[in-house]
Amino acid sequence: MSSQNLPIGVFDSGVGGLTVLKALQQKLPQESFLYFGDTAHVPYGDRPPHEIQSLGRQILDWLVQQPVKMAIMACNTSSAVALDVVRNEFSIPILGVILPGAKAAVKQGRRIGVIATPATVGSDCYRKAILEIDPEVEVFQVACPEFVPLIEANRVADPKTPSIVWNRLQPLVEAGIDTLVYGCTHYPHLSQVIQDLLPNRITLVDPAVHMAAAATQELELLNLKSGKRHPSTRFFVSGSPEQFARSSRGCLGFTPEVRAVALPGISIEAATPDLSTAIL
Ligand code: DGL
């Protein structure tokens, strides 16, 4: 098969990257995709950098073997902590979500809030990326460790969710932000709750849309765009395929066929928490 007709690999710790996958499918309707959710190791956001890098490396190894023509880290945590470290270890282009998100944010506002995982906030990568583009803006970052577990447990509609979300948004609203970046690809799953809580003056930025535009540019530049008439998308997870199929139905609008993959060589304890009781 020519490189142009190979799929694009997209990965995340779980269902978060589906928000990026959907933006990519919309922008690139002739491309095939291979989605990998590392649900045996979700959440990434509480893990130390070396574990996030090691997981990213294993997933990229697997994607390269499928093969794919490009890989997209549809995960801010991996993009923040692993992208620069592992990018040069692979021969395919690897793209992350932080830079497209930062570029979009500075076009929107002057007081920019970022909600993200503890690892992404700890890396300070959004502040650095934003200030590199425009040193005059102010950046306010808040870690939201509860959000990913409640999304993965399919509990967005739980009555307790708005107060958990508000606890994290309140300091940003009080700081007078004019723009809020979804600094984790899971968080757009909470967009209805977040929009209901935020004052209208605050503009939301979803890096997914801007990442899709960046991926399109990169494919054109490398002459890798597909001209396929019947593209396909396949779903793989490292944890339970049934759980992923259930949690992704709301976002995808259908129940995907999901296959389990055992990644060789992952030495990290598969500390999959019981997400149904972890938070609420
Ligand atoms: N969706 C990912 C991100 O954008 C990972 C979240 C997690 O597993 O903690 O950061």
Side-chain angles (χ1 to χ4, degrees):
M1 202 192 288
S2 69
S3 301
Q4 279 98 337
N5 288 333
L6 292 175
I8 297 172
V10 179
F11 80 86
D12 178 46
S13 60
V15 296
L18 295 176
T19 59
V20 177
L21 176 71
K22 282 181 76 173
L24 287 162
Q25 285 174 321
Q26 215 157 25
K27 186 87 184 155
L28 295 161
Q30 291 182 310
E31 298 294 337
S32 289
F33 295 95
L34 194 160
Y35 186 88
F36 183 85
D38 191 8
T39 53
H41 301 100
V42 67
Y44 276 10
D46 301 332
R47 293 184 181 275
H50 73 274
E51 288 193 9
I52 298 162
Q53 288 156 10
S54 168
L55 292 166
R57 212 173 257 126
Q58 303 289 342
I59 296 165
L60 287 163
D61 269 337
W62 180 79
L63 285 173
V64 166
Q65 282 163 33
Q66 299 315 301
V68 298
K69 63 181 174 186
M70 169 185 276
I72 294 184
M73 287 187 172
C75 172
N76 289 267
T77 308
S78 303
S79 305
V81 171
L83 181 60
D84 286 346
V85 180
V86 302
R87 186 181 244 160
N88 294 333
E89 299 171 17
F90 296 88
S91 56
I92 55 166
I94 305 171
L95 274 58
V97 282
I98 307 276
L99 196 56
K103 281 184 184 165
V106 294
K107 283 193 190 142
Q108 288 296 334
R110 311 303 299 159
R111 294 176 70 79
I112 299 169
V114 180
I115 45 174
T117 66
T120 301
V121 170
S123 76
D124 210 25
C125 69
Y126 264 105
R127 184 193 309 281
K128 287 180 197 151
I130 289 170
L131 294 183
E132 203 161 297
I133 304 165
D134 186 344
E136 302 292 310
V137 300
E138 281 188 86
V139 182
F140 306 83
Q141 303 177 97
V142 168
C144 310
E146 309 88 357
F147 291 9
V148 169
L150 71 83
I151 292 162
E152 286 290 331
N154 216 2
R155 301 187 74 161
V156 170
D158 191 285
K160 291 181 191 156
T161 298
S163 71
I164 292 170
V165 173
W166 178 243
N167 274 343
R168 298 299 176 190
L169 296 185
Q170 190 175 12
L172 292 169
V173 173
E174 285 172 2
I177 59 163
D178 55 27
T179 304
L180 180 67
V181 180
Y182 290 123
C184 170
T185 55
H186 276 76
Y187 298 174
H189 290 284
L190 286 169
S191 63
Q192 201 50 62
V193 179
I194 292 174
Q195 278 168 37
D196 287 350
L197 290 168
L198 285 183
N200 288 337
R201 62 179 170 79
I202 299 175
T203 307
L204 280 157
V205 172
D206 183 355
V209 190
H210 309 281
M211 144 38 57
T216 308
Q217 259 181 11
E218 190 78 0
L219 288 171
E220 278 163 4
L221 198 71
L222 300 171
N223 193 24
L224 279 176
K225 265 189 111 175
S226 164
K228 269 196 179 170
R229 293 234 179 96
H230 303 290
S232 65
T233 299
R234 289 175 295 146
F235 297 89
F236 299 85
V237 291
S238 54
S240 156
E242 294 78 24
Q243 162 72 19
F244 184 85
R246 269 196 304 278
S247 325
S248 59
R249 196 164 39 210
C251 174
L252 293 172
F254 64 93
T255 306
E257 194 181 310
V258 186
R259 287 170 56 188
V261 172
L263 291 183
I266 286 201
S267 54
I268 290 153
E269 295 284 302
T272 308
D274 178 0
L275 294 170
S276 59
T277 55
I279 298 303
L280 300 172

